[in-house]
Amino acid sequence: RILIEPAHTHLCQWVSHLTHAARTKSNLTTSKTATGPDGVTNSATICTATAGNATALQSITSASSARITSCYIKRRTGTGAIELTQDNGSTWTAVTVTSGWTRVNLSSVTSTNPTVGIRIVTSGDAVDVALFQHEFGAFITSPIETYGSSGGVTRAADNITLATSAFPYGAEGTISVEATPLVVSDSRHASFSDGTTSQLIDIWARAAGDLSALVVNSGTQALFIGPTYTAGQTVKHALAYKTNDFAYCANGGSVATDNSGTVPSGINVLNIGSLITSNVQYVKGYLRILRYVPRRATNAELQALTS
C-alpha cells in the first residue's frame, strides 16, 4: 500500500522532546527516556505530574488559518484524565489514553498565534508522549518530524504520475482501485488526464461522503455516484469506459451504466492518488491496489474486481 498525502506544514518545535525549553512546564517533570511508537529507545518523553493539572505548553507565532493538533500518547501510570489544548488552555479536551501507543487529535479550528499543549489532571499520573504535531489544515496527516528548534517544516505533496506511453493505455479500458481514505474529503484515487480537468477519466471518493467516477471530454460525458463511505474504510470501485458504453461498480454492488458519451482523446498521463499534478485532492490515505486493462471489462468482471 502507498500513503499519498498533500503537502502540509507542521509548526511545533522539538516534536518528541517535551523536555526542551520551547515548552513551558508547570507541575510537570519530563524525561526523554521512553521508547517511542517506532520502537526506538529514548525517542519519546515521559511526562509526570507533580501536582494536579500539570501542563506543558508551546506558543506558536502564526497568522490566522485552519489548524489541527495531534500526538502519540501512551499511559505509564495512573487513571486520571489527559487533555490537549490548542488555545492556550481556554479549552481542554480529554483524549483516550491506553497502555499502548495511540495517536489522538483535536478537531480543526481557525485561529491566530495558538498555544498548544498537554495537561495531566491527576497528580502522580504519567504518560509517554511523542510526535506532538500542530499543522495547517482540517485533518491530521502523517507525522512531520522536527528534531531542532525550527517550526514551519513542510512535507512535500506525494505527486506520483506515469505517462500513458509507458503502458498499453487505450481508447477503451477499465481502471479499478482499492483505497483507504483517512478523512471524508475529496479523496482522489486515480485519474487519466491531459494535465488539465478538461479531458479526464477519474475515480474518487467525494467530500459529500460517497464514491464516484467521472469522464470529461470538454464537458461531462459520464458521472456515477456510488455508495457512501466513512473515514478509514477500505473501498473498492472500478470504472469501465468506451465510447457510448460506460459502467461503474463499487464494493461489489450493482453496476451502473451510461450508453451515451465520448472518450477524451488527449489523455497522456495517469495521476496515481491525485486528480492532476499539484492539485490538493489527494487520496489523503492509502492506495492499496490500482489495476488497469486496455478494454471495457464486462459488468460481471466489474463486480468481481470490487468484491
Side-chain angles (χ1 to χ4, degrees):
R1 65 181 186 175
I2 303 173
L3 178 63
I4 301 176
E5 300 177 299
H8 262 220
T9 299
H10 166 45
L11 300 172
C12 281
Q13 303 172 6
W14 304 96
V15 293
S16 294
H17 200 333
L18 274 68
T19 63
H20 196 272
R23 287 180 173 81
T24 301
K25 272 81 70 177
S26 174
N27 299 323
L28 190 75
T29 61
T30 55
S31 172
K32 193 170 178 286
T33 55
T35 298
D38 56 0
V40 176
T41 58
N42 301 327
S43 65
T45 299
I46 302 171
C47 298
T48 305
T50 58
N53 294 325
T55 59
L57 299 171
Q58 182 176 155
S59 59
I60 295 171
T61 301
S62 175
S64 178
S65 178
R67 54 186 77 244
I68 190 167
T69 300
S70 64
C71 69
Y72 281 88
I73 194 164
K74 176 183 177 181
R75 176 79 67 177
R76 182 169 282 264
T77 59
T79 59
I82 309 298
E83 302 169 330
L84 300 182
T85 186
Q86 53 192 359
D87 60 7
N88 197 26
S90 294
T91 304
W92 288 100
T93 301
V95 294
T96 300
V97 183
T98 70
S99 59
W101 282 108
T102 306
R103 195 179 191 196
V104 297
N105 66 273
L106 300 177
S107 299
S108 176
V109 296
T110 298
S111 65
T112 305
N113 297 332
T115 294
V116 301
I118 186 171
R119 179 166 76 175
I120 302 176
V121 172
T122 303
S123 179
D125 281 9
V127 293
D128 297 347
V129 180
L131 299 167
F132 198 104
Q133 184 153 303
H134 183 74
E135 60 189 304
F136 292 132
F139 52 89
I140 60 172
T141 62
S142 58
I144 303 169
E145 297 194 48
T146 52
Y147 296 100
S149 59
S150 60
V153 176
T154 299
R155 181 191 55 245
D158 299 314
N159 288 321
I160 308 172
T161 63
L162 181 64
T164 54
S165 59
F167 60 98
Y169 171 81
E172 67 172 280
T174 301
I175 185 167
S176 66
V177 299
E178 179 178 331
T180 307
L182 298 179
V183 295
V184 176
S185 174
D186 276 320
S187 171
R188 243 61 194 208
H189 298 165
S191 66
F192 291 104
S193 76
D194 64 349
T196 75
T197 56
S198 296
Q199 296 200 32
L200 186 68
I201 299 171
D202 188 26
I203 187 166
W204 86 104
R206 302 197 312 159
D210 44 41
L211 304 177
S212 186
L214 172 69
V215 178
V216 176
N217 186 16
S218 299
T220 298
Q221 303 300 308
L223 173 63
F224 299 102
I225 306 299
T228 59
Y229 73 99
T230 57
Q233 176 187 356
T234 297
V235 299
K236 300 178 182 180
H237 53 157
L239 170 68
Y241 65 90
K242 183 180 179 180
T243 297
N244 298 326
D245 188 10
F246 303 97
Y248 174 76
C249 184
N251 298 330
S254 59
V255 177
T257 60
D258 185 334
N259 297 319
S260 176
T262 58
V263 175
S265 60
I267 299 295
N268 58 20
V269 64
L270 169 61
N271 294 277
I272 301 171
S274 64
L275 176 58
I276 58 175
T277 303
S278 301
N279 189 279
V280 296
Q281 296 179 1
Y282 296 84
V283 172
K284 307 179 187 79
Y286 295 97
L287 185 64
R288 296 173 177 272
I289 297 174
L290 171 61
R291 300 184 184 92
Y292 174 76
V293 292
R295 64 175 178 83
R296 197 281 202 200
T298 67
N299 291 357
E301 288 173 327
L302 292 176
Q303 289 179 313
L305 283 168
T306 60
S307 295

